[in-house]
Amino acid sequence: TDCPFEAISMVPRKLGKGSDLVANVSASLCASCGICSASCSQLAIGPADRNAKTQLEKVKHLKHDFDKTKIAFVYCQSCVASSRVLGAISKVVAPFPVECSGSVHYGVFSTLLGHFAGVFVLSCPWRACQNREGVILMKDRLLGERGPKVGGHFDKDRLHIIEGGLS
């Protein structure tokens, strides 16, 4: 239900074990935005270079490269404000660029908050999101109003989300 392009349908599983239904992606409708990556509790769907498993691998490298005193800076690469903000705060953050904030899995935020002093998210304004509803879906997931529900809780006071755009 999270796909803003209605490219995913759930179909009966034909092979293997697991849930009765599996995701079927229509290539003709898929925009490769990656929002589906954040919507799957099993980490089983999403573009190969931006799925939740790949995101968690990137977090491992970020944790290795930056100490715990830094703030993880998750930002939409398409947000016009990102490069200006990153330039101004580059000495105090661990940068984590993404195609869309809506594609970042809850587990990634939880892992970042478990290591860094905090997480700052700069996303496109909801009305200018290139993937339609990315920032809205991300906020709903992080506030617990939308799945997936991933184990563990985190200190939401150390998570700040800004919708930004500079002219």
Side-chain angles (χ1 to χ4, degrees):
T1 59
D2 285 2
C3 179
F5 301 97
E6 299 180 4
I8 302 172
S9 57
M10 299 304 288
V11 298
R13 176 182 294 278
K14 293 180 182 173
L15 298 171
K17 296 179 181 179
S19 63
D20 293 336
L21 298 175
V22 294
N24 180 51
V25 180
S26 170
S28 64
L29 296 174
C30 180
S32 193
C33 67
I35 289 177
C36 57
S37 300
S39 68
C40 182
S41 60
Q42 302 300 310
L43 312 178
I45 192 168
D49 59 337
R50 292 187 311 280
N51 62 38
K53 289 178 184 176
T54 303
Q55 292 172 9
L56 288 167
E57 278 300 314
K58 290 180 182 178
V59 169
K60 280 185 191 176
H61 294 289
L62 201 67
K63 288 168 55 176
H64 179 267
D65 294 342
F66 295 93
D67 66 58
K68 294 180 177 211
T69 63
K70 301 285 185 188
I71 295 170
F73 178 51
V74 178
Y75 64 95
C76 294
Q77 292 174 310
S78 59
C79 178
V80 295
S82 296
S83 61
R84 289 186 191 175
V85 172
L86 182 58
I89 63 174
S90 63
K91 290 184 169 61
V92 296
V93 298
F96 193 80
V98 295
E99 293 288 324
C100 177
S101 62
S103 72
V104 182
H105 196 274
Y106 181 98
V108 170
F109 286 110
S110 180
T111 303
L112 289 171
L113 283 163
H115 179 78
F116 293 103
V119 175
F120 181 83
V121 182
L122 178 60
S123 72
C124 299
W126 71 269
R127 289 186 177 151
C129 178
Q130 72 177 9
N131 296 314
R132 299 185 185 168
E133 302 164 347
V135 66
I136 293 168
L137 294 170
M138 175 202 51
K139 285 180 174 179
D140 286 352
R141 287 185 200 111
L142 292 175
L143 295 173
E145 296 170 8
R146 176 176 216 96
K149 303 277 192 230
V150 179
H153 298 283
F154 54 77
D155 181 1
K156 290 183 176 124
D157 290 337
R158 296 188 306 116
L159 172 69
H160 301 282
I161 303 168
I162 303 291
E163 296 177 43
L166 300 174
S167 54

